[in-house]
Amino acid sequence: MMERGRTGAVLLVLFLGHLTNALEVPLDLPQPPTITQQSPKDYIIDPRESILIHCEAKGKPHPSFSWTRNGTHFDIDQEPKVTMRHHSGTLVVDISGEKAEHYEGVYQCTARNEHGTAVSNNIVIRQSRSPLWSKERNEPIIVQEGVAMVLQCRPPAGLPPPIIFWMDNNFQKLPQSSRVSQALNGDLYFSNVLKEDSRNDYICYARFPHTQTIQQKQPITVRVLNLDAINETMAAFYNDTDLYSEALADERKPSFLIPSSGHSSSKMVLKGQVLDMECIAEGLPTPEVSWAKVSGDLPTRRTSYLHYQKTLRIVNVSASDAGDYRCTARNRLGVVHHTIRVTVKAAPYWLSGPPRNLVLAPRETGVLTCRASGSPKPTVTWAMNGVPIENSPVDLSRKVEDDTIIYTDVQTGSSAVYQCNVSNEYGYLLANAFVNVLSEAPRVLTHANKVYQVIRNHRALLDCSSFGSPIPKITWFKDSRSSTLDGDAYILHDNGTLEIHVAQAHNSGKYTCVASNSLGIYENHVSLEVKEPTRILKQPEYKLVQRGRSVVFECKVKHDPSLIPTVTWLKDNGELPDDERFIVDSDSLTITDVIENDEGVYTCIMNTTLDHDSASAELTVVEATPTPATVYERPDPPTDLELTDQKERSVQLTWTPGDEHNSPIQKFLIQYEDSLHHRGHWHNLTEVPGTKTTARLRLSPYVHYTFRVVALNAVGLSLPSFPSKTYKTKPAAPDENPTGVQGYGTEHDNLVISWKPLSGLQANGPGLQYKVMWRQKEVDKEWTSVPVANVSKFVVSGTPTFVPYELKVQALNEYGAAPEPAVVHGYSGEDLPVAVPDNVRVSALNSTLAEVQWNPVPPKTVRGHLKGYKIYYWRERGLHKHNPHHAEKQILTFSGNHSHGVLPGLHPASLYSLNIRVYNSKGEGPPSASQRFETAEGVPSTPSSLRITDPNLDSLTLEWGPPHDHNGRLTGYTLRYQTVYNSNELGPVEELALPANETSFTLRNLKYSTRYKFYLNANTVKGAGPAVSQEAVTIMDEGNTQPSHPIARSPPHHPHHKVPPATPAFGNVSSSVGEDGALISWEYWGPEKKVYVEYTVENSEGEEEWQREYVNGSQNYVLKGLKEGLSYRVRLVAQGPSDPVLHHSEELLVTVPAMASRQVDIATQGWFIGLMCAIALLILILLIICFIQRNKGGKYPVKEKEDAHTDPEFQPMKDEDCTFGEYSDNEDHKPLKGSSTPSNGTVKRDDSDDSLVDYGEGGDGQFNEDGSFIGQYSGKSAGGDTAEGHESSGGPSPITLINSLNSFV
């Protein structure tokens, strides 16, 4: 109670807040003021009546009242027309002879006594206004039939706003429909007008609800004419009429009159208010309007449609109503949509109600909370006794935290009234809550000796409203007060109310409520009477009666003798007709002289002061006696249930079958209710054939049985029979033990024994308990046992770690124990293993796989269930310093009792370390001693990069990066390459061996303008790794040189990081054969010596001498002059100046293949190029001859041609595309076959070719009827430049024709 933390305070407020919800301080005790009544915040007054501004409050002593007006003190004594009611703060303003405007303003009431001050809301007083309509003259409106029309109302602004409606001269509402409807602003909208809309009394009325006055607009005359009638009357009405439409009103698709803002609009609404969205469309035929929410479903229960679906209304708006709403207007000609985006804001609102009064005893702790929300989020301010809390006297026991005031160790004299103000831009909330510090002995406020009545099987609530400070504790007793009332049958609420969930007859009696605190005890007595329910035993049945006959509906009821029932009959859920033919008795309804209108459903209702019951039946009236047809119906419920031959575990049930209704009963279903354990739930017990009316029922002990029977025929099930009398079986010892018994540990020194508890039906009697038994297997002989109740597990502490136990759980109650239970085995809790796997052995299977072996640990050292072994392994470093250093650990788990395992995915040529740990359910044991092992070399990874640089006519330079993972010592690189032809076919593969210490290589003597594909891979002693590929093209040779195939190497790069060995050594000797010879490559780590390459023909007759070539300090050499088709033995020899011994490398076999004849590219041969040029020249000469033949017609002087061009619409030839003005077509843009044009498809003016415009007159080129060109090929160019040789007026020269033709092409 004295906890001072913020968390404790928040928890405390939930407790105290619930209690104080019903806490009412008696008025005879000291208390601060509480305002009980005040006028609304927005108070609109009637200027014809006196003004009442309410302000009522209570307190001890009774508070005094004062008022402010517009923020300043309102001196009532200075206002002769204003009086304050006696013993109240309510103001009465007599406005007779005064203007109500004088008293408009913002008022606030203050109620104070010696314990605090409470204030009211700000009450804004405004007088209602109903101004007159401004005088206006409404001119007649002539409108064409079928068009849309709007009649504007425009009422005067009133307070509050008026209610608008349209009527005629006879005060009859104008008919409205989906075609004609009133908008929210009061205007009358016509989607399309008809002839019958013509009238002279469209009148808009405005009703001002506060003053109950109605204002009328001048009538509006509307004349609907067709187009011919409008034309005939236009002259007569033009000067003093409004012509509404001029166009012929055809059928048209919809368009929106409201909203008028395009396809979308927006709307803001406050939470809790009414959202009205409106869509009015015009069109012909009349559009139909529908609504949908784009982002979800409409709230069905809060949604309604007004004005013929044109207005969508959502009441009590919540945040979930925000989103997009779409209205759709459609007719047979089209559809139109409009989307309204709704935003929901919120004025402040309470989350759990306003702050509640707080009553505290001295030195107690309490909390005031002011929890509210809004959109935007509101601000919370506190005041004490009407003064901002920051300006109020300091109270050391008080702490303000946002929306909470915390009192800790409160002292006498801290009583006050606190005002919480929550506000945002849309409104505010103001609440008063007092803190009253007093000491008071408990008292019960509920009337003494009050009698409560309740129907059996219903809920009973016994009140015990109390007060005291500190808050009293409530305790309930029944009759003898031997024990408090608690448990499943009773619920004690925080406000002291005792609830009996299902009242039974034995719950009747006298109850005592005791309220106690540290200052005293108070008792109050009440009584509870449990009554029998009202039930209709004989229900009315369906009746078929002839007209003119009489009919009787029976309704016999059983009820509690102390309750007097009243019977009510209804016809079709309404009152009976006021007709003397209907005779109502205590248990029947008689209808005499039946007529057709008497058909319907008749309902009998039996009411008492506590409950009621009802039943219905239908009456059908027929003319003549019908020929009865066979009617098959469900059987009537069985009756007269009786229990006989009652024994402890069985009883005999008999019953009388109901009417079969022409369908034999197939079987009876017997059901039971256990009112002791599952009241209100019916369970199937057994079935018997339809020919039997008795059944022997097997029962369980300690059950309060009630039986009922349901009959089944071919039509269906009957209604259940009335329940039998309750048969209570005697308690007995349990018949069975709990199932699901388990034993396990949650800590290293405990044993948890769990089981599935028995149900109430399995308990067989009261006082159900469980006898939990255990002993350590093979250690303890005696069982240890503990009885427990209302639990499903038991924890044994102080056990050894992970030892086996034998377990038993036996059920027992007040009447004995169940049979001996079966033994179940379990283990106590586990702990971390202590053993370390030993004799750990590792062997590398290959470069990426290693096998690990170890000796399993002894089972006792596992100290739990063995789950398996975990191998922790990590790479320490590579065996060669090229490789990076890694230290990250990896874990491989082997489940079960394993003694070996395989580690996959290792890095080749690496040094690894590992250790092994055993683990159980609790965790891992300590690691074994670390073991080291090495993996063998593997193939390297792909070279990190491959670039082609310095492309030349016959050479390319390759640059590459070493592989990221060497996986051993690199022995060299293999370069393969082949030609890529235009058909994407690949040529033969050439292969070169490159030393490991080089990262670049130049290929020479390649073909020019040829694409090559290269493949490069690195090698170790284990073989070649994956290759990286790249493509490149040699540049074009304008001189058409023929390439050859010899290979030239770039100068070798000698590695500087190698340490030469003490003796000569050759390594990585390799060869590759090209057209220029055989390239021999090697590595040499010897001292300064002369190095030679020696070679001889393999398998030569006789012993031929070795041919020797001196290579100086190089590490590669090309052997030239080798014969094709022969194989040679090649070796390297080193000899020092003073060393007579020759040091040989291993011999290498080099085969020189027989070379096939070279293929010649015909496109690069000179004779072929010359032939093609001759053919092109012949074709050009033929074209020139044809062109001259077409233009032999005539010649026109240049001057005459210039004078003839007077057409202002003349269009010159376009320079950009060489087309003939408007006579050009798409074909003019296409080059002739065989011609050469720039890549952009245009012919520039400064090129060597001249355009046809240069030879014409201003570019006005035309053709004769036979297609020949008309014009003189002479004169000035269009640009004004004079081309040399163009002045001649004679026939065109061949050069001019060629240039012109090229330009045309």
Side-chain angles (χ1 to χ4, degrees):
M1 193 74 175
M2 299 299 294
E3 184 174 342
R4 300 174 185 270
R6 170 67 169 166
T7 303
V10 173
L11 293 175
L12 181 64
V13 71
L14 298 177
F15 174 71
L16 290 179
H18 192 77
L19 288 180
T20 56
N21 187 33
L23 187 63
E24 186 74 19
V25 182
L27 273 178
D28 60 339
L29 295 178
Q31 57 185 287
T34 301
I35 292 181
T36 58
Q37 183 185 9
Q38 57 182 314
S39 293
K41 294 179 181 178
D42 193 8
Y43 188 15
I44 300 176
I45 61 173
D46 190 336
R48 301 168 299 182
E49 300 176 355
S50 296
I51 304 173
L52 284 179
I53 311 177
H54 291 281
C55 181
E56 305 290 342
K58 65 178 182 178
K60 181 69 175 181
H62 189 75
S64 60
F65 298 87
S66 63
W67 285 85
T68 62
R69 176 183 174 186
N70 297 329
T72 60
H73 176 67
F74 184 50
D75 191 351
I76 300 173
D77 296 334
Q78 300 298 321
E79 296 287 339
K81 294 286 187 176
V82 181
T83 58
M84 185 184 295
R85 287 180 176 176
H86 178 66
H87 213 63
S88 165
T90 299
L91 297 181
V92 180
V93 183
D94 181 10
I95 60 172
S96 59
E98 294 280 344
K99 290 186 177 181
E101 293 92 338
H102 177 71
Y103 297 99
E104 289 183 331
V106 180
Y107 293 77
Q108 189 173 36
C109 172
T110 301
R112 59 170 54 88
N113 65 12
E114 62 189 64
H115 302 293
T117 301
V119 297
S120 71
N121 293 321
N122 287 329
I123 303 171
V124 180
I125 303 294
R126 295 184 295 170
Q127 74 158 348
S128 63
R129 290 176 172 81
S130 52
L132 296 176
W133 226 300
S134 59
K135 292 184 178 180
E136 60 181 353
R137 179 185 177 186
N138 292 327
E139 300 295 341
I141 297 175
I142 295 179
V143 61
Q144 180 186 347
E145 184 178 7
V147 303
M149 181 177 67
V150 181
L151 300 183
Q152 294 181 337
C153 181
R154 296 179 182 175
L159 185 68
I163 299 172
I164 306 300
F165 52 93
W166 289 79
M167 303 179 74
D168 59 15
N169 280 329
N170 298 321
F171 298 100
Q172 299 296 316
K173 284 189 175 182
L174 294 174
Q176 297 189 22
S177 63
S178 59
R179 184 180 64 86
V180 183
S181 62
Q182 179 180 316
L184 294 176
N185 64 358
D187 294 345
L188 193 62
Y189 280 75
F190 295 73
S191 296
N192 52 77
V193 294
L194 303 177
K195 290 284 291 183
E196 53 264 30
D197 294 329
S198 296
R199 60 191 307 154
N200 57 4
D201 58 348
Y202 285 97
I203 305 174
C204 179
Y205 290 85
R207 181 170 65 86
F208 297 88
H210 214 78
T211 58
Q212 295 300 317
T213 59
I214 297 178
Q215 302 289 345
Q216 173 185 337
K217 184 182 177 75
Q218 289 296 321
I220 300 174
T221 298
V222 174
R223 299 177 183 174
V224 181
L225 304 175
N226 57 32
L227 188 59
D228 293 336
I230 291 177
N231 292 331
E232 293 172 1
T233 59
M234 183 180 296
F237 288 93
Y238 185 80
N239 292 328
D240 50 0
T241 61
D242 292 330
L243 190 60
Y244 206 89
S245 174
E246 297 179 353
L248 180 64
D250 293 329
E251 290 190 345
R252 60 194 179 278
K253 68 177 185 179
S255 63
F256 283 114
L257 302 174
I258 295 180
S260 59
S261 56
H263 296 291
S264 62
S265 58
S266 61
K267 192 176 185 67
M268 190 277 288
V269 64
L270 293 181
K271 180 179 182 294
Q273 292 186 349
V274 176
L275 170 62
D276 282 335
M277 291 175 285
E278 186 176 42
C279 278
I280 300 179
E282 66 91 20
L284 189 65
T286 302
E288 295 294 330
V289 178
S290 60
W291 293 86
K293 188 176 183 182
V294 177
S295 55
D297 297 329
L298 291 171
T300 307
R301 296 185 177 181
R302 297 184 288 112
T303 301
S304 60
Y305 300 94
L306 309 176
H307 305 146
Y308 305 94
Q309 294 284 117
K310 300 177 185 179
T311 301
L312 173 65
R313 172 169 290 177
I314 301 177
V315 299
N316 192 21
V317 170
S318 64
S320 63
D321 296 326
D324 292 341
Y325 294 78
R326 177 180 295 162
C327 65
T328 302
R330 69 178 72 235
N331 63 14
R332 64 170 177 261
L333 299 181
V335 179
V336 64
H337 303 282
H338 187 88
T339 301
I340 303 175
R341 173 156 293 179
V342 175
T343 304
V344 178
K345 301 293 185 180
Y349 58 92
W350 301 116
L351 292 176
S352 56
R356 302 182 179 94
N357 294 333
L358 186 61
V359 178
L360 298 174
R363 304 189 67 79
E364 275 194 323
T365 296
V367 178
L368 281 178
T369 59
C370 183
R371 299 286 167 80
S373 184
S375 178
K377 184 179 180 181
T379 58
V380 179
T381 58
W382 288 95
M384 187 184 80
N385 296 329
V387 179
I389 198 163
E390 57 269 17
N391 300 331
S392 61
V394 177
D395 190 342
L396 297 179
S397 64
R398 181 186 69 212
K399 182 179 180 182
V400 180
E401 292 185 4
D402 298 330
D403 58 0
T404 304
I405 296 181
I406 306 171
Y407 269 101
T408 306
D409 197 14
V410 69
Q411 301 298 319
T412 305
S414 294
S415 297
V417 182
Y418 289 86
Q419 287 81 36
C420 168
N421 190 312
V422 185
S423 62
N424 65 12
E425 60 187 276
Y426 299 110
Y428 74 95
L429 295 173
L430 177 66
N432 294 275
F434 66 66
V435 175
N436 196 11
V437 182
L438 54 84
S439 298
E440 184 68 16
R443 63 175 77 178
V444 176
L445 306 180
T446 302
H447 295 299
N449 301 317
K450 184 176 181 179
V451 177
Y452 294 90
Q453 294 181 334
V454 68
I455 296 296
R456 180 170 57 84
N457 295 332
H458 285 63
R459 183 177 66 168
L461 296 173
L462 308 182
D463 294 331
C464 184
S465 177
S466 64
F467 180 81
S469 184
I471 296 174
K473 178 183 178 183
I474 304 299
T475 310
W476 282 90
F477 300 92
K478 184 177 184 293
D479 298 330
S480 63
R481 297 186 60 174
S482 58
S483 61
T484 59
L485 298 179
D486 52 19
D488 296 338
Y490 302 93
I491 299 175
L492 181 60
H493 292 276
D494 292 337
N495 62 358
T497 298
L498 177 68
E499 177 182 344
I500 304 173
H501 187 61
V502 182
Q504 299 297 321
H506 66 269
N507 295 125
S508 298
K510 183 178 180 181
Y511 289 77
T512 301
C513 162
V514 178
S516 60
N517 66 9
S518 59
L519 301 179
I521 298 177
Y522 191 96
E523 294 185 0
N524 192 52
H525 303 285
V526 297
S527 298
L528 175 64
E529 296 177 355
V530 181
K531 306 293 185 179
E532 289 297 316
T534 302
R535 293 291 179 264
I536 296 176
L537 299 180
K538 182 64 175 178
Q539 300 181 355
E541 298 177 347
Y542 170 78
K543 299 293 183 180
L544 181 69
V545 65
Q546 293 180 354
R547 185 167 58 87
R549 300 284 184 93
S550 297
V551 65
V552 177
F553 290 102
E554 292 183 297
C555 186
K556 295 182 179 180
V557 67
K558 176 185 178 182
H559 59 89
D560 190 278
S562 63
L563 302 176
I564 301 176
T566 58
V567 61
T568 303
W569 285 90
L570 302 177
K571 178 180 183 292
D572 297 330
N573 294 323
E575 293 183 356
L576 290 177
D578 186 10
D579 192 334
E580 59 183 11
R581 296 182 301 107
F582 290 80
I583 303 171
V584 177
D585 292 329
S586 60
D587 56 1
S588 65
L589 168 66
T590 302
I591 307 174
T592 61
D593 194 17
V594 172
I595 60 177
E596 287 83 352
N597 290 339
D598 295 335
E599 282 192 340
V601 177
Y602 291 82
T603 303
C604 166
I605 303 176
M606 288 291 181
N607 290 289
T608 67
T609 55
L610 296 180
D611 68 339
H612 73 277
D613 196 12
S614 63
S616 301
E618 185 178 359
L619 172 63
T620 302
V621 179
V622 296
E623 278 293 331
T625 303
T627 302
T630 303
V631 178
Y632 301 95
E633 296 180 357
R634 294 185 300 173
D636 288 343
T639 58
D640 304 328
L641 272 66
E642 186 176 0
L643 300 175
T644 59
D645 193 14
Q646 301 176 359
K647 297 182 179 180
E648 290 187 0
R649 295 292 184 102
S650 67
V651 69
Q652 179 132 334
L653 175 66
T654 59
W655 62 90
T656 300
D659 191 343
E660 295 181 345
H661 292 294
N662 302 313
S663 178
I665 295 176
Q666 299 172 353
K667 61 181 177 182
F668 293 99
L669 176 64
I670 302 172
Q671 300 174 328
Y672 76 93
E673 176 198 26
D674 180 8
S675 59
L676 180 61
H677 301 103
H678 299 94
R679 176 177 298 277
H681 296 274
W682 289 91
H683 309 275
N684 293 333
L685 182 61
T686 187
E687 295 177 354
V688 297
T691 56
K692 292 188 176 183
T693 58
T694 181
R696 189 75 188 177
L697 307 179
R698 302 177 66 86
L699 308 177
S700 297
Y702 195 52
V703 178
H704 294 180
Y705 285 100
T706 304
F707 302 100
R708 70 182 186 185
V709 183
V710 179
L712 174 69
N713 65 5
V715 180
L717 290 170
S718 71
L719 295 174
S721 67
F722 287 108
S724 68
K725 293 182 179 179
T726 301
Y727 180 63
K728 303 179 180 179
T729 56
K730 295 180 179 180
D735 295 327
E736 54 186 312
N737 288 303
T739 58
V741 179
Q742 298 182 55
Y744 54 91
T746 57
E747 300 294 339
H748 67 90
D749 59 350
N750 75 0
L751 171 67
V752 179
I753 306 172
S754 64
W755 61 90
K756 182 181 179 182
L758 299 181
S759 65
L761 196 64
Q762 295 171 312
N764 284 4
L768 176 64
Q769 290 185 329
Y770 301 100
K771 183 179 180 182
V772 183
M773 296 169 280
W774 70 91
R775 67 182 180 186
Q776 189 174 343
K777 188 176 181 181
E778 299 177 354
V779 175
D780 297 334
K781 294 184 178 179
E782 300 297 329
W783 291 88
T784 303
S785 63
V786 173
V788 296
N790 299 323
V791 296
S792 60
K793 67 178 180 180
F794 179 78
V795 180
V796 182
S797 302
T799 63
T801 300
F802 196 68
V803 295
Y805 276 86
E806 294 179 326
L807 315 170
K808 294 191 295 184
V809 180
Q810 186 178 31
L812 59 148
N813 60 21
E814 296 177 3
Y815 292 85
E820 183 68 20
V823 176
V824 177
H825 296 87
Y827 281 86
S828 59
E830 301 183 31
D831 204 348
L832 294 177
V834 296
V836 176
D838 57 2
N839 195 19
V840 179
R841 305 172 302 281
V842 187
S843 59
L845 301 180
N846 55 39
S847 60
T848 61
L849 201 64
E851 183 179 24
V852 185
Q853 295 179 325
W854 65 90
N855 292 344
V857 299
K860 289 186 177 181
T861 63
V862 178
R863 301 205 296 179
H865 294 286
L866 175 64
K867 294 296 185 181
Y869 293 86
K870 292 185 179 180
I871 300 179
Y872 285 74
Y873 63 100
W874 60 97
R875 183 186 184 205
E876 291 194 352
R877 61 179 176 83
L879 296 181
H880 304 286
K881 60 183 178 181
H882 304 285
N883 299 53
H885 180 273
H886 295 278
E888 57 192 47
K889 290 187 177 181
Q890 294 178 278
I891 304 174
L892 195 60
T893 302
F894 296 92
S895 301
N897 191 16
H898 284 267
S899 61
H900 63 89
V902 175
L903 302 181
L906 303 177
H907 285 273
S910 299
L911 177 63
Y912 276 86
S913 293
L914 64 80
N915 59 53
I916 306 177
R917 309 177 192 191
V918 65
Y919 73 99
N920 59 19
S921 300
K922 201 71 174 179
E924 301 174 2
S928 66
S930 295
Q931 298 288 326
R932 287 188 169 188
F933 66 95
E934 295 180 356
T935 56
E937 290 192 14
V939 297
S941 63
T942 306
S944 59
S945 64
L946 176 59
R947 292 190 309 120
I948 312 297
T949 61
D950 298 333
N952 291 308
L953 287 174
D954 60 349
S955 66
L956 292 170
T957 298
L958 286 74
E959 296 180 357
W960 63 89
H964 289 297
D965 296 320
H966 289 199
N967 295 338
R969 186 183 300 279
L970 290 184
T971 61
Y973 296 92
T974 300
L975 174 65
R976 291 173 295 120
Y977 64 96
Q978 57 190 140
T979 305
V980 181
Y981 298 116
N982 290 337
S983 59
N984 290 327
E985 294 181 359
L986 299 176
V989 177
E990 301 289 343
E991 183 173 316
L992 294 177
L994 306 178
N997 58 346
E998 288 199 4
T999 57
S1000 67
F1001 181 74
T1002 300
L1003 277 174
R1004 303 188 184 277
N1005 296 324
L1006 302 176
K1007 293 181 181 180
Y1008 69 91
S1009 186
T1010 302
R1011 178 176 295 276
Y1012 290 90
K1013 187 166 186 178
F1014 301 93
Y1015 311 88
L1016 181 71
N1017 50 271
N1019 305 309
T1020 64
V1021 295
K1022 289 294 184 179
V1028 61
S1029 64
Q1030 187 61 272
E1031 291 189 14
V1033 181
T1034 55
I1035 65 176
M1036 181 180 295
D1037 181 17
E1038 297 180 357
N1040 192 25
T1041 58
Q1042 294 293 329
S1044 57
H1045 297 278
I1047 299 171
R1049 290 185 55 86
S1050 61
H1053 301 281
H1054 298 280
H1056 302 285
H1057 57 276
K1058 296 182 180 178
V1059 179
T1063 60
F1066 292 98
N1068 292 336
V1069 182
S1070 61
S1071 68
S1072 62
V1073 178
E1075 294 184 358
D1076 200 30
L1079 174 66
I1080 310 299
S1081 302
W1082 65 91
E1083 290 183 2
Y1084 176 65
W1085 297 286
E1088 293 295 333
K1089 292 179 179 291
K1090 294 182 178 180
V1091 178
Y1092 305 90
V1093 175
E1094 294 184 343
Y1095 60 95
T1096 185
V1097 178
E1098 185 188 25
N1099 300 327
S1100 61
E1101 298 180 0
E1103 289 294 330
E1104 288 193 9
E1105 292 186 1
W1106 289 83
Q1107 302 291 326
R1108 175 178 289 189
E1109 303 266 351
Y1110 178 61
V1111 297
N1112 200 1
S1114 174
Q1115 291 193 358
N1116 52 67
Y1117 185 78
V1118 178
L1119 292 177
K1120 300 182 179 180
L1122 302 180
K1123 297 181 179 180
E1124 296 178 358
L1126 295 181
S1127 297
Y1128 291 85
R1129 293 158 54 201
V1130 180
R1131 67 185 182 187
L1132 291 157
V1133 177
Q1135 186 176 21
S1138 61
D1139 187 3
V1141 179
L1142 293 177
H1143 300 275
H1144 302 281
S1145 70
E1146 294 182 359
E1147 290 186 5
L1148 190 68
L1149 184 63
V1150 178
T1151 301
V1152 181
M1155 303 299 290
S1157 60
R1158 299 177 182 175
Q1159 295 181 354
V1160 178
D1161 190 351
I1162 191 172
T1164 63
Q1165 302 304 306
W1167 64 268
F1168 179 77
I1169 296 175
L1171 178 61
M1172 292 297 102
C1173 292
I1175 294 174
L1177 182 59
L1178 289 176
I1179 294 174
L1180 184 60
I1181 293 173
L1182 290 176
L1183 289 174
I1184 292 171
I1185 295 173
C1186 291
F1187 202 89
I1188 293 172
Q1189 291 296 327
R1190 282 179 173 267
N1191 290 275
K1192 286 183 177 180
K1195 302 174 185 177
Y1196 302 91
V1198 176
K1199 181 61 179 176
E1200 293 177 5
K1201 291 293 294 180
E1202 290 178 352
D1203 295 340
H1205 286 305
T1206 58
D1207 186 2
E1209 296 183 357
F1210 160 73
Q1211 296 183 2
M1213 177 184 287
K1214 299 177 183 178
D1215 291 342
E1216 291 80 11
D1217 54 8
C1218 299
T1219 58
F1220 297 103
E1222 62 181 310
Y1223 297 100
S1224 66
D1225 55 26
N1226 291 335
E1227 296 299 327
D1228 296 331
H1229 298 274
K1230 299 178 181 178
L1232 295 177
K1233 287 187 177 181
S1235 65
S1236 175
T1237 59
S1239 59
N1240 60 1
T1242 63
V1243 179
K1244 298 181 180 179
R1245 293 293 303 272
D1246 57 353
D1247 289 345
S1248 61
D1249 294 339
D1250 297 327
S1251 68
L1252 285 175
V1253 178
D1254 296 334
Y1255 299 98
E1257 298 170 9
D1260 187 25
Q1262 300 179 10
F1263 288 92
N1264 281 331
E1265 292 180 1
D1266 63 350
S1268 61
F1269 190 82
I1270 302 174
Q1272 181 94 13
Y1273 293 95
S1274 62
K1276 297 181 180 179
S1277 65
D1281 297 328
T1282 302
E1284 185 177 351
H1286 292 179
E1287 290 84 355
S1288 173
S1289 61
S1293 68
I1295 301 301
T1296 304
L1297 285 174
I1298 291 173
N1299 291 336
S1300 177
L1301 184 59
N1302 287 339
S1303 177
F1304 179 75
V1305 173

